[in-house]
Amino acid sequence: MTPEVDGLDVVACEHCERLCASRSRIVNGVGPADADLLFVGEAPGANEDEAGEPFVGRSGDVLDDALRAAGLDRADVRITNCVRCRPPDNRDPRADELDNCRAFLDHEVDSVDPEVVVPLGKVPAEHLLGRDVAVTSEAGDVVEADIGETRRRVLISVHPAATLYDRSQADTFEHTIGRAADFTDGESGQARLGDF
Ligand code: URA
C-alpha cells in the first residue's frame, strides 16, 4: 500500500509491519507549519500513541517547562518524531524503520523551513547528522547537516527524559532550549546560516 499523506501528516502507512502491529495510530508532528524551531524526537511512546501527539508524557512536561523558562510556549514550536508509530515495548526504532519514515521527516523539515532543527536525544541526532553523537558532551552545539533539500542548522540536545534520572542534565537541557530560543527572532534561517 502506498502511504497516504495530507500536507505534513501521514494519514495511512503500512511500511513497517512490526510498527503497524504495535501502534494504535500514526502520531504526526504538531505546531505551526512555519515554526522557527522544529524539535525532533525519536518515536512515540505509550502516552503519545494514546494521545496522537508527540511529547505529551513526562518527557513532554520537561520540554514544556524548559520552553516556558526560555519564554516560549509549546504552541509556538513544531514538535515531531523520526518515526511516527510506536515501537513495541518502547524499544528504539530500528534502522529500517528510521529509513522508512525518513521521507516524511525530510518533507516536514523542507516545508516548515525552521531557523534551527533540534534533535532531542541520541537517536534523532545520529539520524539527522549521519554520525555518532555524544549528546551529553555535544549538547548545546550548533552544527550543520544536509536534511531534505537544504543544508540546515542543527542544535544538539539531550533527551528531556534524561533530566528525570540525572539532575545535572537538567541544566544542560535548559541551556540548550535557551539557545534554541535565540533563533526565534524572525530572521530567515537561510539568511543567517552564513553567521556560523
Ligand atoms: N520521546 C520521544 O522521542 N518522542 C516522543 O514523542 C515522546 C517521547
Side-chain angles (χ1 to χ4, degrees):
M1 174 205 161
T2 310
E4 211 181 304
V5 174
D6 178 10
L8 300 180
D9 289 351
V10 181
V11 179
C13 178
E14 293 176 0
H15 265 159
C16 306
E17 206 178 309
R18 283 176 310 269
L19 301 194
C20 286
S22 57
R23 76 178 180 204
S24 325
R25 70 199 84 243
I26 297 169
V27 179
N28 288 299
V30 293
D34 61 351
D36 286 341
L37 305 183
L38 174 61
F39 292 92
V40 182
E42 170 180 316
N47 295 305
E48 291 75 23
D49 179 70
E50 197 184 328
E53 180 167 341
F55 285 96
V56 292
R58 288 184 74 199
S59 300
D61 292 340
V62 173
L63 177 59
D64 291 353
D65 287 348
L67 287 170
R68 266 194 297 274
L72 295 171
D73 191 83
R74 182 183 175 90
D76 300 331
V77 306
R78 190 157 182 99
I79 309 172
T80 194
N81 278 306
C82 294
V83 165
R84 298 185 185 215
C85 299
R86 181 193 179 195
D89 305 319
N90 292 335
R91 66 155 168 74
D92 287 353
R94 293 168 39 151
D96 60 318
E97 295 159 353
L98 288 163
D99 284 349
N100 285 345
C101 232
R102 181 64 194 240
F104 305 134
L105 179 60
D106 283 348
H107 173 60
E108 191 167 13
V109 175
D110 284 337
S111 178
V112 173
D113 191 23
E115 297 278 337
V116 67
V117 178
V118 188
L120 295 171
K122 189 176 180 69
V123 169
E126 294 191 340
H127 186 51
L128 290 173
L129 298 181
R131 64 168 171 85
D132 289 344
V133 178
V135 275
T136 306
S137 53
E138 295 187 54
D141 290 355
V142 178
V143 298
E144 287 184 20
D146 292 318
I147 304 173
E149 294 173 353
T150 309
R151 192 142 187 87
R152 298 258 164 216
R153 271 194 303 266
V154 176
L155 170 59
I156 298 171
S157 173
V158 297
H159 194 282
T163 68
L164 297 171
Y165 50 82
D166 180 352
R167 281 299 305 163
S168 71
Q169 304 260 17
D171 289 344
T172 306
F173 186 63
E174 275 185 28
H175 169 81
T176 304
I177 300 303
R179 184 113 214 250
D182 292 342
F183 288 95
T184 58
D185 63 2
E187 279 188 66
S188 149
Q190 294 317 301
R192 287 178 39 157
L193 196 52
D195 295 351
F196 285 85

